[in-house]
Amino acid sequence: MKNNFWKKIILKKSLKNLNTISRKNLYIFPNLRGFQIAALIFFCFAVAIFYQNNFALLLSIVLFFIYFISILISYQNLLNLDLSINNKLHPANKFVNLIYQINDKQNRERLNVNFDLENETTKKDINHKTTINLKYKFDQRGKVDTPTLNIHSLFPFGIIKTFTNVSFKERLTIYPEPIRPSNEIFDQLYQLNTDEGFDYEFDKIEENKENINLSKISWKHSSIKKKLYEKKFKFSNNLQHITIDLQKISAESFEKKLSYASYLIEYFYQLKKPFLLKNKDFISAIACSLDHRNKLLTYLANA
């Protein structure tokens, strides 16, 4: 209960100064070794006073100096770091790399910092501007808050921990998990675009690994090889554009339709084939650019 209480206090305080680490959202606390050193300092100082022991006094002064330097350097190690997140569009239900940009406003030569995001931890030596990657998994599509980043430093002697939580102003867009449609759905897409005047051309013969339309089976090759072989087709080079009609995609749920559409958008983007997305009254532009891909995936995230 006490730990949860302090976590809420720290998080509430960090929200007042988003993205930049300042004196208002930094915390300093000794770790176990730090408490042991503090106890040794107190013990040496007590021995020096009660037993008039100069060596104990000298040792307590040296240890106190190290302790003070640890607090100062560890504190300065995190002060005035500015953080931002670069990539803001991600798929659901997959581990993705969140890319953070770390900018040291004081242009110090080297900073030793640890970054934690749930179970993912990375240790970085920051030099002016640094990029870090941390893995994270989003469970649902839509607009979500950027995960809070936990940052701490034990530099230089590992006895004082300076730490903070950084919450971000930016929100992330999580689009439906891309799931490859079945061959039957690809057939439906093929039929749709053929009806609209687009062409497909024969590509190759492959062994059939799932149930397909009987019209695609190559009976000649199947009879020779004693296995089912199917005809593979690809879009011809003179294809003008692909229509992905969300209402005509067969799926057991709307979410599954969105996942199929996500896959098709990424699939045709990789092929560099112009495509458009239709859904009820919505009709997108025709393009195959990264910006077009991102806009349509954002649409699916909020559909």
Side-chain angles (χ1 to χ4, degrees):
M1 292 295 292
K2 288 184 178 179
N3 289 337
N4 291 333
F5 172 77
W6 284 112
K7 284 182 180 179
K8 289 180 181 178
I9 294 296
I10 292 171
L11 182 58
K12 185 177 180 181
K13 192 174 180 182
S14 68
L15 289 172
K16 295 179 181 178
N17 196 356
L18 299 174
N19 292 60
T20 301
I21 300 176
S22 67
R23 290 182 176 87
K24 295 181 180 179
N25 52 17
L26 267 182
Y27 304 87
I28 302 177
F29 206 73
N31 59 10
L32 178 60
R33 186 181 298 175
F35 276 114
Q36 291 172 343
I37 297 294
L40 182 59
I41 292 172
F42 179 79
F43 175 77
C44 291
F45 187 72
V47 169
I49 291 176
F50 289 107
Y51 296 99
Q52 302 293 312
N53 189 310
N54 292 332
F55 175 76
L57 179 61
L58 178 61
L59 183 59
S60 66
I61 292 174
V62 170
L63 291 176
F64 179 79
F65 180 76
I66 293 174
Y67 209 82
F68 178 78
I69 291 296
S70 295
I71 293 174
L72 183 62
I73 294 179
S74 181
Y75 181 79
Q76 291 294 328
N77 209 27
L78 296 185
L79 191 63
N80 290 326
L81 290 182
D82 188 70
L83 299 97
S84 61
I85 187 163
N86 291 349
N87 51 341
K88 300 174 185 177
L89 183 64
H90 302 281
N93 297 319
K94 290 187 176 182
F95 281 100
V96 297
N97 281 324
L98 298 183
I99 303 174
Y100 295 92
Q101 183 72 41
I102 317 295
N103 180 27
D104 178 19
K105 290 185 175 181
Q106 296 182 1
N107 292 324
R108 288 160 287 191
E109 288 298 323
R110 180 186 175 190
L111 299 174
N112 188 275
V113 183
N114 295 284
F115 299 90
D116 302 321
L117 189 62
E118 290 193 353
N119 297 326
E120 182 75 9
T121 302
T122 185
K123 185 176 181 180
K124 269 287 186 183
D125 290 332
I126 296 175
N127 186 6
H128 305 320
K129 289 187 177 181
T130 304
T131 299
I132 63 169
N133 297 329
L134 292 172
K135 291 188 181 298
Y136 196 82
K137 185 178 180 180
F138 298 94
D139 296 327
Q140 295 181 336
R141 66 180 177 91
K143 283 281 188 180
V144 301
D145 293 328
T146 302
T148 300
L149 190 61
N150 302 313
I151 305 174
H152 70 270
S153 175
L154 294 168
F155 187 79
F157 302 118
I159 60 176
I160 299 294
K161 182 178 182 179
T162 304
F163 62 98
T164 187
N165 295 325
V166 177
S167 299
F168 294 82
K169 302 173 186 176
E170 300 92 342
R171 302 192 77 200
L172 305 180
T173 300
I174 310 302
Y175 60 89
E177 175 190 3
I179 298 176
R180 188 188 188 283
S182 65
N183 286 343
E184 184 180 350
I185 293 176
F186 269 103
D187 286 342
Q188 292 173 359
L189 185 67
Y190 160 79
Q191 187 64 46
L192 170 65
N193 285 275
T194 300
D195 292 343
E196 293 183 2
F198 302 133
D199 296 327
Y200 287 72
E201 63 182 19
F202 175 76
D203 183 23
K204 56 186 175 181
I205 298 290
E206 280 189 358
E207 184 180 350
N208 172 243
K209 295 183 179 178
E210 59 179 273
N211 294 326
I212 62 168
N213 193 319
L214 293 178
S215 63
K216 292 186 66 178
I217 294 178
S218 174
W219 296 107
K220 178 181 178 180
H221 289 84
S222 299
S223 61
I224 295 173
K225 301 289 186 179
K226 306 299 182 182
K227 294 181 181 179
L228 281 180
Y229 281 81
E230 62 177 302
K231 302 172 186 177
K232 290 287 185 178
F233 295 86
K234 65 180 180 179
F235 297 109
S236 61
N237 292 330
N238 61 353
L239 182 66
Q240 296 177 358
H241 69 266
I242 309 298
T243 299
I244 304 172
D245 193 335
L246 199 61
Q247 295 302 308
K248 294 183 179 180
I249 295 177
S250 299
E252 59 267 26
S253 67
F254 182 66
E255 290 299 321
K256 204 63 172 291
K257 280 190 177 187
L258 295 178
S259 292
Y260 290 157
S262 291
Y263 180 92
L264 293 172
I265 289 171
E266 293 190 337
Y267 176 76
F268 291 120
Y269 168 72
Q270 294 294 330
L271 288 179
K272 299 302 178 186
K273 294 291 185 182
F275 59 91
L276 67 86
L277 178 68
K278 291 174 63 177
N279 181 34
K280 297 181 180 177
D281 297 331
F282 172 82
I283 302 179
S284 73
I286 302 171
C288 60
S289 64
L290 178 61
D291 182 62
H292 181 63
R293 166 197 175 269
N294 292 346
K295 284 181 179 178
L296 295 190
L297 291 176
T298 300
Y299 171 80
L300 294 181
N302 301 306

